[in-house]
Amino acid sequence: MSNFESLSKAVIAGNVGQAAEITKNALDLGARPMDILNLGLLPGMAVVGDRFKKGDMFVPEVLMAARVMQSCMEILKPMLVDEEVPSAGTVVIGTVKGDLHDIGKNLVAMMLESAGFRVVNLGVDVPPEKFASAIREHKPHILGMSALLTTTMLRMKDTIELLEEEGLRDKVKVIVGGAPVTRDFSEEIRADGYAPDAASAAELAKQIVGFSVSS
Ligand code: B1M
């Protein structure tokens, strides 16, 4: 079995120690951090999602798998984030109110950091008012919102409406993402952009900053 397959298995089994050891070994053997993420950790999480959906796995087991993901991402983070990259701009990011999923959002934050952005990560269950006050405080170029539930994605709309009411909407570009979010939905709620995954979110953010610098 390859290192990547063993890593996927450790994610599914929720075995933090084993997964951390495989991750460190793979790095020692010269594996690229992006490959460890894309070929080991994420396929494991995809299996977890599938089993959870079918009722073959339950919340405590999914939480263990999430913990494995987070601890391996901590190991990979210094290698994915180049501290020397000059700041491309500031992004405030968070998972919307009522939603506790943060693995994808943290991955997006990591990719943004590695693309040179300063990231203010507000965490999970972030109400519209907290997004608004973070915009006042940090004056970011971009606000990123993540949602994993069909019910909570509607909080993105609430947040954009609050920004409009408070005169903050034209001070920031809003990008959205998360499994149930689509480009059509992003247009419907008048967001400025949608990205299906973490790498495209970083690409989109770079494009936005490029556009706002030249216009
Ligand atoms: Co939850 N959960 N969960 N869960 N969970 C899902 C999302 C679900 C699809 C599972 C299923 O039924 N198949 C389902 C949602 C159904 C729906 O609404 N359509 C679901 C449910 C129902 C629930 C609960 C309601 C279960 C319950 O309690 N009965 C509950 C809700 C809690 C709450 O939030 N209030 C719940 C709880 C949990 C745990 C706490 C156990 C745990 C979260 C732990 C954590 O995040 N710290 C959990 C997990 C882990 C999942 C699954 C299995 C995996 C999510 C994940 O981390 N994926 C998920 C099933 C699935 O997605 N296959 C599921 C890996 C991650 C890298 O991908 O988050 O999609 P993702 O992020 C991607 C892209 O979406 C995108 O880039 C990322 C990287 O490429 N992206 C962005 C994300 N944010 C972005 C922002 C951007 C741009 C791109 O711009 C700003």
Side-chain angles (χ1 to χ4, degrees):
M1 198 190 306
S2 75
N3 260 342
F4 295 138
E5 280 171 301
S6 318
L7 187 54
S8 298
K9 286 220 153 106
V11 172
I12 299 162
N15 192 329
V16 176
Q18 196 187 16
E21 200 185 312
I22 298 169
T23 300
K24 286 178 193 155
N25 279 344
L27 287 170
D28 288 346
L29 292 171
R32 293 174 53 227
M34 279 308 277
D35 287 343
I36 297 177
L37 183 66
N38 289 327
L39 304 175
L41 295 172
L42 290 178
M45 208 60 205
V47 173
V48 171
D50 207 36
R51 292 192 185 168
F52 187 38
K53 191 175 182 175
K54 290 184 185 139
D56 295 338
M57 261 178 114
F58 301 98
V59 171
E61 296 162 292
V62 178
L63 267 178
M64 285 306 293
R67 208 162 293 153
V68 174
M69 278 289 296
Q70 299 286 14
S71 45
C72 292
M73 271 159 59
E74 282 305 311
I75 298 171
L76 298 178
K77 190 172 169 181
M79 273 141 273
L80 288 169
V81 178
D82 183 349
E83 304 290 347
E84 297 305 312
V85 180
S87 177
T90 299
V91 181
V92 163
I93 193 166
T95 302
V96 296
K97 188 172 168 119
D99 199 322
L100 304 176
H101 296 85
D102 66 355
I103 297 173
K105 182 261 298 166
N106 289 343
L107 213 49
V108 173
M110 242 165 73
M111 292 290 173
L112 288 167
E113 283 178 1
S114 65
F117 287 90
R118 182 173 84 91
V119 176
V120 180
N121 191 336
L122 301 179
V124 295
D125 194 17
V126 181
E129 298 73 21
K130 192 167 168 187
F131 280 121
S133 69
I135 290 170
R136 276 192 216 92
E137 185 184 344
H138 301 286
K139 303 188 172 40
H141 301 80
I142 297 170
L143 167 66
M145 287 187 279
S146 178
L148 263 286
L149 301 172
T150 40
T151 46
T152 58
M153 62 196 265
L154 300 172
R155 302 290 82 77
M156 292 174 164
K157 183 170 185 275
D158 299 347
T159 304
I160 290 177
E161 283 173 1
L162 182 73
L163 299 186
E164 286 167 354
E165 277 164 31
E166 301 207 346
L168 293 167
R169 182 62 187 94
D170 57 357
K171 300 195 182 336
V172 72
K173 297 287 183 197
V174 177
I175 65 172
V176 293
V181 179
T182 60
R183 187 172 303 283
D184 281 354
F185 177 75
S186 77
E187 285 167 6
E188 207 178 289
I189 64 171
R190 299 188 296 273
D192 299 296
Y194 156 78
D197 56 55
S200 358
E203 253 336 287
L204 176 64
K206 282 197 278 185
Q207 272 176 26
I208 288 175
V209 173
F211 290 142
S212 61
V213 166
S214 60
S215 60

